[in-house]
Amino acid sequence: DYLQGKPAMGGLEISDSANRFSNFNGKVWRLESIKVPGGILKGGQMTDRGQFLEILKRLKTQIPLSVKAKKKISVIVSLSFSGVYSQVFSLPIINEKNLEEAVTLNLQMTSPIKAEESYTSWQLIGRDENAMKVDILGAFIGRKQIDDISSVLKEAGFLPIAAEPKALALARLVKQQAAGFDNNKPYVVLVLDNESLNFLVIRKGELYFEYNNSWPELR
């Protein structure tokens, strides 16, 4: 770290009502947030790029890291809006090459968005030798949504390294930080905030299921 230099890195949550930045320096958390006026983002779609850009620029000025670092702040982007989908499916245990092909085929079949209009990714979350199967978590998002957000982030002084559903970030947080967490037990996690009411099912530390109700939808 001393010889190579450690870039400023943090987590950036983007939702229709607020943007939140977090950073852990090894000792304390730094948290900064800024409200997004209604209508600028709708389901992650930008209706006013100029205003959203100004909001992100103001958020960057609130971050102490940016005082020393005139360069872009690297961020892992947590997406908290409709249009971000996840799906778990099972496949028989097969060799690595065939698994890649089988996963790709299943992602194409289960994606709620046309393949040419979406970004997809996946990870192995479970392996059962007795049942001879593996569990795969796939994630999907519209290509235009993420391209537009990535573009405005870079212009505002952020460098998006990766993007993921908020549920995946929360599941990892529970696994790594929750007091008394037992990796061998399944959990139902209730997430209550000003965005939504969210239920997660976590098995062996991995996200298996998400059910989300936004407050506007409930109203």
Side-chain angles (χ1 to χ4, degrees), residues 57-71:
K57 286 181 176 179
R58 290 204 304 270
L59 176 61
K60 187 173 185 290
T61 63
Q62 296 175 200
I63 300 170
L65 294 172
S66 63
V67 175
K68 295 180 180 180
K70 298 291 185 183
K71 300 178 181 178

Side-chain angles (χ1 to χ4, degrees), residues 87-110 121-138 140 203 208:
Q87 176 74 44
V88 173
F89 54 91
S90 297
L91 293 172
I93 295 178
I94 50 181
N95 64 54
E96 187 173 339
K97 179 183 177 182
N98 291 337
L99 177 63
E100 185 91 27
E101 294 175 354
V103 168
T104 300
L105 179 60
N106 273 268
L107 287 174
Q108 291 173 352
M109 293 172 59
T110 59
S121 189
W122 63 275
Q123 67 182 50
L124 183 69
I125 60 174
R127 185 182 181 94
D128 188 333
E129 296 289 347
N130 294 325
M132 294 294 292
K133 71 181 183 70
V134 291
D135 295 328
I136 306 293
L137 173 66
F140 318 86
R203 292 177 56 197
Y208 266 77

Side-chain angles (χ1 to χ4, degrees), residues 84-188:
V84 186
Y85 306 96
S86 62
Q87 176 74 44
V88 173
F89 54 91
S90 297
L91 293 172
I93 295 178
I94 50 181
N95 64 54
E96 187 173 339
K97 179 183 177 182
N98 291 337
L99 177 63
E100 185 91 27
E101 294 175 354
V103 168
T104 300
L105 179 60
N106 273 268
L107 287 174
Q108 291 173 352
M109 293 172 59
T110 59
S111 175
I113 313 169
K114 293 180 180 179
E116 65 274 14
E117 297 176 359
S118 69
Y119 287 119
T120 62
S121 189
W122 63 275
Q123 67 182 50
L124 183 69
I125 60 174
R127 185 182 181 94
D128 188 333
E129 296 289 347
N130 294 325
M132 294 294 292
K133 71 181 183 70
V134 291
D135 295 328
I136 306 293
L137 173 66
F140 318 86
I141 189 172
R143 187 176 291 267
K144 185 178 187 306
Q145 267 184 303
I146 201 67
D147 285 347
D148 289 348
I149 288 174
S150 178
S151 170
V152 75
L153 282 173
K154 291 175 183 176
E155 191 172 340
F158 295 97
L159 180 62
I161 303 299
E164 64 181 358
K166 180 181 178 180
L168 198 59
L170 288 170
R172 188 167 58 251
L173 178 67
V174 169
K175 179 180 179 179
Q176 296 177 357
Q177 301 291 337
F181 181 83
D182 185 342
N183 202 51
N184 294 315
K185 293 181 179 179
Y187 292 88
V188 174

